[in-house]
Amino acid sequence: MKEFASYISIKPEVRFGKPCIKGTCIAIADILQWLASGMSQEEILEDYPTLSKEHIMAALAFAANREAMIKIIAA
């Protein structure tokens, strides 16, 4: 899912340069932490109506891609 990048922006003036969902101040790390804490996608979407399922999937894809890059660099 390379198109995840179209949903994510990194701007120094937004959340200190953390990767965020475009047009929001919601960081990818926030979404990952909510999922890790047991929130369902539906609960996240209910609490944060500016997000969509595509945004959550983009956050997961971004994290997976980042993890793959770490493995490549470490090898």
Side-chain angles (χ1 to χ4, degrees):
M1 179 178 175
K2 291 291 183 188
E3 61 271 5
F4 71 81
S6 66
Y7 294 105
I8 297 170
S9 66
I10 300 173
K11 296 180 179 178
E13 67 276 8
V14 178
R15 296 288 301 267
F16 304 102
K18 291 181 181 179
C20 292
I21 299 299
K22 281 187 181 174
T24 75
C25 292
I26 300 172
I28 301 306
D30 295 334
I31 296 171
L32 297 174
Q33 288 173 348
W34 297 330
L35 292 168
S37 72
M39 285 182 78
S40 68
Q41 288 188 23
E42 292 74 23
E43 290 171 322
I44 294 170
L45 296 174
E46 186 176 310
D47 289 351
Y48 300 92
T50 57
L51 293 178
S52 68
K53 283 192 175 193
E54 289 80 15
H55 292 137
I56 295 172
M57 296 308 294
L60 291 169
F62 182 87
N65 186 58
R66 193 172 191 174
E67 178 65 19
M69 291 301 293
I70 291 169
K71 287 180 182 178
I72 291 171
I73 293 170

Tab-separated table of all heavy atoms in Angstrom, residues 15 18-19 25-41 43-44 48 51 56 59-60 63:
chain	number	residue	atom	x	y	z
A	15	ARG	N	2.912	19.270	15.323
A	15	ARG	CA	3.290	18.208	16.256
A	15	ARG	C	4.794	17.948	16.253
A	15	ARG	O	5.240	16.812	16.290
A	15	ARG	CB	2.535	16.910	15.966
A	15	ARG	CG	1.022	16.940	16.140
A	15	ARG	CD	0.562	16.998	17.571
A	15	ARG	NE	0.977	15.927	18.412
A	15	ARG	CZ	0.272	14.804	18.639
A	15	ARG	NH1	-0.892	14.637	18.068
A	15	ARG	NH2	0.739	13.895	19.448
A	18	LYS	N	6.252	15.340	13.753
A	18	LYS	CA	5.829	13.933	13.761
A	18	LYS	C	4.948	13.674	12.544
A	18	LYS	O	4.197	14.551	12.117
A	18	LYS	CB	5.013	13.612	15.014
A	18	LYS	CG	5.802	13.625	16.291
A	18	LYS	CD	4.892	13.267	17.458
A	18	LYS	CE	5.649	13.294	18.762
A	18	LYS	NZ	4.759	12.960	19.893
A	19	PRO	N	5.017	12.477	11.963
A	19	PRO	CA	4.114	12.152	10.863
A	19	PRO	C	2.664	12.218	11.346
A	19	PRO	O	2.327	11.645	12.379
A	19	PRO	CB	4.493	10.713	10.490
A	19	PRO	CG	5.849	10.507	11.065
A	19	PRO	CD	5.940	11.384	12.267
A	25	CYS	N	-4.029	17.355	13.236
A	25	CYS	CA	-2.885	17.298	14.155
A	25	CYS	C	-2.795	15.912	14.778
A	25	CYS	O	-2.136	15.737	15.806
A	25	CYS	CB	-3.040	18.356	15.246
A	25	CYS	SG	-2.883	20.030	14.632
A	26	ILE	N	-3.441	14.940	14.166
A	26	ILE	CA	-3.446	13.584	14.700
A	26	ILE	C	-2.225	12.842	14.157
A	26	ILE	O	-2.098	12.611	12.948
A	26	ILE	CB	-4.743	12.842	14.335
A	26	ILE	CG1	-5.941	13.599	14.916
A	26	ILE	CG2	-4.697	11.399	14.830
A	26	ILE	CD1	-7.291	13.076	14.464
A	27	ALA	N	-1.329	12.502	15.072
A	27	ALA	CA	-0.091	11.828	14.688
A	27	ALA	C	-0.340	10.338	14.429
A	27	ALA	O	-1.239	9.734	15.015
A	27	ALA	CB	0.955	11.999	15.786
A	28	ILE	N	0.484	9.783	13.569
A	28	ILE	CA	0.437	8.338	13.306
A	28	ILE	C	0.626	7.585	14.616
A	28	ILE	O	-0.078	6.603	14.882
A	28	ILE	CB	1.532	7.939	12.291
A	28	ILE	CG1	1.347	8.691	10.970
A	28	ILE	CG2	1.567	6.439	12.079
A	28	ILE	CD1	-0.003	8.563	10.330
A	29	ALA	N	1.527	8.068	15.456
A	29	ALA	CA	1.775	7.423	16.749
A	29	ALA	C	0.514	7.409	17.613
A	29	ALA	O	0.279	6.446	18.348
A	29	ALA	CB	2.914	8.118	17.480
A	30	ASP	N	-0.295	8.456	17.534
A	30	ASP	CA	-1.548	8.492	18.298
A	30	ASP	C	-2.449	7.329	17.881
A	30	ASP	O	-2.976	6.599	18.727
A	30	ASP	CB	-2.305	9.804	18.067
A	30	ASP	CG	-1.585	11.029	18.583
A	30	ASP	OD1	-0.764	10.898	19.523
A	30	ASP	OD2	-1.846	12.116	18.037
A	31	ILE	N	-2.631	7.173	16.581
A	31	ILE	CA	-3.496	6.110	16.062
A	31	ILE	C	-2.971	4.746	16.477
A	31	ILE	O	-3.731	3.885	16.925
A	31	ILE	CB	-3.627	6.217	14.526
A	31	ILE	CG1	-4.326	7.534	14.157
A	31	ILE	CG2	-4.374	5.015	13.953
A	31	ILE	CD1	-4.318	7.856	12.682
A	32	LEU	N	-1.669	4.548	16.356
A	32	LEU	CA	-1.081	3.267	16.747
A	32	LEU	C	-1.263	3.001	18.238
A	32	LEU	O	-1.572	1.868	18.639
A	32	LEU	CB	0.402	3.233	16.373
A	32	LEU	CG	0.711	3.339	14.875
A	32	LEU	CD1	2.211	3.448	14.663
A	32	LEU	CD2	0.125	2.176	14.110
A	33	GLN	N	-1.113	4.026	19.055
A	33	GLN	CA	-1.299	3.854	20.500
A	33	GLN	C	-2.740	3.538	20.840
A	33	GLN	O	-3.011	2.711	21.712
A	33	GLN	CB	-0.819	5.106	21.247
A	33	GLN	CG	0.689	5.230	21.232
A	33	GLN	CD	1.178	6.553	21.811
A	33	GLN	OE1	0.402	7.487	22.033
A	33	GLN	NE2	2.470	6.629	22.059
A	34	TRP	N	-3.683	4.178	20.163
A	34	TRP	CA	-5.095	3.877	20.412
A	34	TRP	C	-5.406	2.429	20.061
A	34	TRP	O	-6.082	1.733	20.820
A	34	TRP	CB	-6.000	4.805	19.612
A	34	TRP	CG	-5.868	6.252	19.985
A	34	TRP	CD1	-5.544	6.766	21.215
A	34	TRP	CD2	-6.028	7.374	19.129
A	34	TRP	NE1	-5.494	8.138	21.160
A	34	TRP	CE2	-5.800	8.546	19.895
A	34	TRP	CE3	-6.352	7.523	17.778
A	34	TRP	CZ2	-5.890	9.822	19.376
A	34	TRP	CZ3	-6.447	8.794	17.249
A	34	TRP	CH2	-6.210	9.934	18.040
A	35	LEU	N	-4.905	1.975	18.920
A	35	LEU	CA	-5.129	0.586	18.528
A	35	LEU	C	-4.463	-0.378	19.513
A	35	LEU	O	-5.057	-1.380	19.917
A	35	LEU	CB	-4.617	0.340	17.104
A	35	LEU	CG	-5.404	1.042	15.989
A	35	LEU	CD1	-4.641	0.962	14.677
A	35	LEU	CD2	-6.792	0.438	15.843
A	36	ALA	N	-3.252	-0.057	19.917
A	36	ALA	CA	-2.516	-0.919	20.847
A	36	ALA	C	-3.190	-0.977	22.215
A	36	ALA	O	-3.089	-1.987	22.915
A	36	ALA	CB	-1.076	-0.423	20.999
A	37	SER	N	-3.898	0.086	22.585
A	37	SER	CA	-4.572	0.108	23.887
A	37	SER	C	-5.899	-0.648	23.862
A	37	SER	O	-6.537	-0.795	24.892
A	37	SER	CB	-4.810	1.545	24.348
A	37	SER	OG	-5.834	2.147	23.579
A	38	GLY	N	-6.283	-1.115	22.666
A	38	GLY	CA	-7.500	-1.915	22.566
A	38	GLY	C	-8.679	-1.217	21.923
A	38	GLY	O	-9.741	-1.814	21.779
A	39	MET	N	-8.504	0.044	21.535
A	39	MET	CA	-9.607	0.726	20.847
A	39	MET	C	-9.833	0.067	19.490
A	39	MET	O	-8.872	-0.289	18.798
A	39	MET	CB	-9.298	2.207	20.634
A	39	MET	CG	-9.409	3.060	21.863
A	39	MET	SD	-9.091	4.824	21.513
A	39	MET	CE	-10.649	5.311	20.765
A	40	SER	N	-11.083	-0.071	19.127
A	40	SER	CA	-11.401	-0.602	17.797
A	40	SER	C	-11.357	0.550	16.793
A	40	SER	O	-11.400	1.737	17.175
A	40	SER	CB	-12.793	-1.228	17.793
A	40	SER	OG	-13.788	-0.229	17.949
A	41	GLN	N	-11.294	0.202	15.525
A	41	GLN	CA	-11.322	1.236	14.486
A	41	GLN	C	-12.602	2.053	14.595
A	41	GLN	O	-12.578	3.277	14.448
A	41	GLN	CB	-11.225	0.604	13.100
A	41	GLN	CG	-9.861	0.060	12.773
A	41	GLN	CD	-9.752	-0.392	11.327
A	41	GLN	OE1	-10.500	0.045	10.463
A	41	GLN	NE2	-8.812	-1.269	11.070
A	43	GLU	N	-14.373	2.710	17.275
A	43	GLU	CA	-14.282	3.627	18.408
A	43	GLU	C	-13.425	4.850	18.069
A	43	GLU	O	-13.772	5.979	18.425
A	43	GLU	CB	-13.699	2.911	19.630
A	43	GLU	CG	-14.627	1.889	20.244
A	43	GLU	CD	-13.955	1.037	21.306
A	43	GLU	OE1	-12.762	0.673	21.142
A	43	GLU	OE2	-14.643	0.734	22.295
A	44	ILE	N	-12.335	4.614	17.372
A	44	ILE	CA	-11.470	5.725	16.968
A	44	ILE	C	-12.227	6.659	16.035
A	44	ILE	O	-12.205	7.882	16.204
A	44	ILE	CB	-10.177	5.208	16.299
A	44	ILE	CG1	-9.332	4.438	17.319
A	44	ILE	CG2	-9.388	6.363	15.680
A	44	ILE	CD1	-8.165	3.681	16.716
A	48	TYR	N	-13.002	10.494	16.794
A	48	TYR	CA	-12.281	11.433	15.925
A	48	TYR	C	-12.921	11.427	14.539
A	48	TYR	O	-12.422	10.789	13.597
A	48	TYR	CB	-10.793	11.060	15.847
A	48	TYR	CG	-10.145	11.101	17.206
A	48	TYR	CD1	-10.080	9.960	18.008
A	48	TYR	CD2	-9.644	12.295	17.720
A	48	TYR	CE1	-9.526	10.006	19.273
A	48	TYR	CE2	-9.090	12.347	18.981
A	48	TYR	CZ	-9.029	11.202	19.753
A	48	TYR	OH	-8.483	11.257	21.005
A	51	LEU	N	-11.246	11.537	11.016
A	51	LEU	CA	-10.516	10.391	10.480
A	51	LEU	C	-11.447	9.475	9.696
A	51	LEU	O	-12.655	9.453	9.927
A	51	LEU	CB	-9.873	9.578	11.611
A	51	LEU	CG	-8.758	10.252	12.396
A	51	LEU	CD1	-8.262	9.324	13.502
A	51	LEU	CD2	-7.618	10.645	11.479
A	56	ILE	N	-6.696	5.254	9.096
A	56	ILE	CA	-6.189	4.241	10.026
A	56	ILE	C	-5.335	3.219	9.286
A	56	ILE	O	-4.254	2.850	9.752
A	56	ILE	CB	-7.352	3.564	10.784
A	56	ILE	CG1	-8.050	4.602	11.680
A	56	ILE	CG2	-6.847	2.380	11.607
A	56	ILE	CD1	-9.324	4.103	12.332
A	59	ALA	N	-2.017	4.726	8.523
A	59	ALA	CA	-1.147	4.748	9.705
A	59	ALA	C	-0.491	3.387	9.902
A	59	ALA	O	0.711	3.292	10.177
A	59	ALA	CB	-1.937	5.149	10.948
A	60	LEU	N	-1.275	2.332	9.743
A	60	LEU	CA	-0.721	0.977	9.893
A	60	LEU	C	0.296	0.678	8.794
A	60	LEU	O	1.360	0.111	9.071
A	60	LEU	CB	-1.847	-0.058	9.876
A	60	LEU	CG	-2.763	-0.045	11.099
A	60	LEU	CD1	-3.984	-0.923	10.844
A	60	LEU	CD2	-2.012	-0.510	12.328
A	63	ALA	N	3.532	2.525	9.498
A	63	ALA	CA	4.301	1.863	10.552
A	63	ALA	C	4.955	0.588	10.032
A	63	ALA	O	6.112	0.309	10.354
A	63	ALA	CB	3.404	1.553	11.743
